[in-house]
Amino acid sequence: MKNEFLKPGWRRVKFGDVVRLSKARSQDPLADGIECYVGLEHLEPGDLRIRSWGNVADGVTFTSVFQPGQVLFGKRRAYQRKVAVADFSGVCSGDIYVLETKDAQVLLPALVPFICQTDAFFDHAVGTSAGSLSPRTNWASLADFEFALPPQDEQESLVRLLRTATDAAQTQESSIKAAEGLLQSFKNEAIGNNAVGVAEDVLLGDILLGSPDSGCSAPPRDADTGYFVLGLAALSRHGYVTGDFKPVEPTRKMLSAKLSKGDLLISRSNTPDRVGYVGIFDDERDDVSFPDTMMRLRPRPAVIDPIYLEAVLQTTSAREFLMRIAAGTSASMKKINRANLLKMPIRLPSLDAQRAALEQLHRLRATVLLQRGRLVATRSLVTQISAAALAGWQRNV
């Protein structure tokens, strides 16, 4: 489309004409009084709020400084759609761009995150990314993105509209957090503390069919190989998350780590707050393996249900144990030793008691899943509203 089709007062601009990349740095964040750090793992797709972070005092190599009101954009694997607005100060990963407006009289700072959330912006970021292992876009490419800039008074109206839509999503997020809190409390009490009945004390190694299986990792391929390996994000605080597949060559070693529906996985190596995450692979496919950063646990079906064991390993006490045994000199990555993992204490009730607890657990999970589905729909609507509101075009009559 040409400029004459733009709404009155609107104009075409390049992203870099109105937005700049902050270059503020801190070589010693702790000495500079900075308390928090944010990595890509702390940004949730589609969520403009930063809901988790790390403590600088625990050790971090990040030097990029961000301030409240600035926009954080994940430049690595831009297809994950990670954009957030900071409401506190800190340092962030080098894989995150810190963005701010050049002139608030030209572009309102509050409008920047909504521009970054549009499909057009993400398509541009993904299309200009390079690299097979971890594709990244660069600032020069992002700065070249063109969009329709409304006049100042219309920007204020758009921000009010988009904030209203975002507030609706955040209300749903709060409901989900409450439901997840109830779900976690149930795991802690009914499963972790075994309120379902009599149980015996065992070690994790006692209820597994042998030592955990090792996975296999290989550099992702740009070409479609027809075979895949899971990424780290496939395991979350709440279990397995589908969709994080990376194409790899189906070598003999890779095929030896092929997954089947129902396999229970645990994160062997990850960031300090994510190491030990567990999940059950529930995709109906036979073209996916698990990486060497994960292990496959094979529960003994005669003594424990895999879903029950997954819930046990998700309890707060289990998480504390797993994070405690995770070791390593790196501040950003920790590893769990097999021998220590197998010594993990477990309260093991009868199979009948496990099934009774799982019936209640499934009902609670169904409620949470329903609410998450509604949130996905609302976020999609927010994205559509953003795209429509920022289109700037009108029909040529």
Side-chain angles (χ1 to χ4, degrees), residues 32-38 50 53-54 56 64-70 72 86-92:
D32 290 338
I34 298 174
E35 298 178 355
C36 305
Y37 73 83
V38 172
I50 303 174
W53 51 85
V56 170
S64 296
V65 176
F66 63 85
Q67 300 294 341
Q70 292 180 319
L72 306 187
D87 56 3
F88 58 90
S89 60
V91 289
C92 64

Side-chain angles (χ1 to χ4, degrees), residues 183-197 199-201 308-319 344-349 357 361:
L183 180 60
Q184 188 61 41
S185 295
F186 177 80
K187 290 177 185 177
N188 291 341
E189 294 303 318
I191 294 178
N193 293 333
N194 188 42
V196 295
E200 60 177 314
D201 293 317
Y308 188 85
L309 179 55
E310 177 195 36
V312 169
L313 296 175
Q314 289 173 337
T315 61
T316 300
S317 58
R319 289 289 308 136
M344 181 178 183
I346 300 286
R347 293 283 290 164
L348 181 66
L361 182 66

Side-chain angles (χ1 to χ4, degrees), residues 20 30 42 53 57 64 75 105 121 146 153 171 208 212 217 226 255 271 276 281 314 337 370:
R20 64 170 159 248
L30 194 60
H42 297 120
W53 51 85
S64 296
K75 70 174 182 178
Q105 298 303 312
F121 187 83
E146 289 190 1
D153 59 337
T171 298
L208 297 180
S217 292
L255 291 174
T271 56
F281 181 76
Q314 289 173 337
N337 177 278
L370 179 62

Side-chain angles (χ1 to χ4, degrees), residues 54-372:
N55 296 317
V56 170
D58 293 336
V60 68
T61 59
F62 301 160
T63 60
S64 296
V65 176
F66 63 85
Q67 300 294 341
Q70 292 180 319
V71 174
L72 306 187
F73 176 81
K75 70 174 182 178
R76 179 164 67 93
R77 295 174 184 159
Y79 58 82
Q80 293 181 337
R81 304 176 73 98
K82 293 189 173 185
V83 180
V85 181
D87 56 3
F88 58 90
S89 60
V91 289
C92 64
S93 164
D95 284 324
I96 297 175
Y97 281 142
V98 180
L99 308 175
E100 60 186 5
T101 55
K102 287 184 174 181
D103 185 346
Q105 298 303 312
V106 176
L107 173 61
L108 290 179
L111 194 57
V112 176
F114 296 109
I115 294 171
C116 293
Q117 270 196 325
T118 60
D119 288 340
F121 187 83
F122 277 114
D123 289 345
H124 180 85
V126 173
T128 57
S129 295
S132 59
L133 183 59
S134 295
R136 293 171 172 83
T137 187
N138 57 62
W139 171 243
S141 296
L142 283 185
D144 204 41
F145 171 72
E146 289 190 1
F147 67 99
L149 179 68
Q152 189 81 1
D153 59 337
E154 291 194 44
Q155 290 183 39
E156 293 172 353
S157 298
L158 287 176
V159 167
R160 287 194 294 271
L161 169 66
L162 295 171
R163 277 181 171 169
T164 298
T166 301
D167 287 345
Q170 291 179 350
T171 298
Q172 290 182 324
E173 289 164 8
S174 297
S175 298
I176 290 175
K177 292 296 180 184
E180 289 175 344
L182 289 173
L183 180 60
Q184 188 61 41
S185 295
F186 177 80
K187 290 177 185 177
N188 291 341
E189 294 303 318
I191 294 178
N193 293 333
N194 188 42
V196 295
V198 179
E200 60 177 314
D201 293 317
V202 299
L203 299 180
L204 179 59
D206 298 332
I207 57 174
L208 297 180
L209 294 169
S211 181
D213 297 329
S214 298
C216 177
S217 292
R221 296 286 304 276
D222 287 329
D224 183 7
T225 63
Y227 201 82
F228 307 88
V229 67
L230 292 180
L232 283 175
L235 296 181
S236 75
R237 181 69 180 84
H238 306 292
Y240 174 69
V241 179
T242 189
D244 192 14
F245 306 123
K246 303 174 184 178
V248 292
E249 290 293 339
T251 62
R252 180 180 300 178
K253 187 175 180 181
M254 184 63 70
L255 291 174
S256 69
K258 181 188 289 189
L259 288 165
S260 298
K261 184 176 181 179
D263 282 349
L264 176 59
L265 301 171
I266 184 168
S267 178
R268 178 187 67 84
S269 176
N270 210 322
T271 56
D273 57 332
R274 299 175 70 89
V275 69
Y277 276 176
V278 296
I280 293 178
F281 181 76
D282 58 6
D283 287 324
E284 293 278 5
R285 53 192 303 165
D286 63 354
D287 58 352
V288 182
S289 291
F290 64 102
D292 62 5
T293 53
M294 300 178 189
M295 293 183 287
R296 177 166 49 196
L297 307 180
R298 295 174 294 142
R300 291 168 55 195
V303 297
I304 192 166
D305 188 299
I307 301 176
Y308 188 85
L309 179 55
E310 177 195 36
V312 169
L313 296 175
Q314 289 173 337
T315 61
T316 300
S317 58
R319 289 289 308 136
E320 291 173 347
F321 176 88
L322 292 168
M323 293 172 71
R324 188 166 60 249
I325 65 171
T329 57
S330 171
S332 59
M333 293 293 286
K334 299 296 181 181
K335 295 181 179 181
I336 293 176
N337 177 278
R338 272 185 178 76
N340 291 331
L341 176 64
L342 295 176
K343 294 176 183 177
M344 181 178 183
I346 300 286
R347 293 283 290 164
L348 181 66
S350 67
L351 283 173
D352 286 341
Q354 292 175 39
R355 295 187 186 104
L358 287 177
E359 286 182 8
Q360 299 179 64
L361 182 66
H362 290 327
R363 286 195 291 270
L364 289 171
R365 279 179 169 170
T367 299
V368 173
L369 287 174
L370 179 62
Q371 292 184 336
R372 286 178 184 162

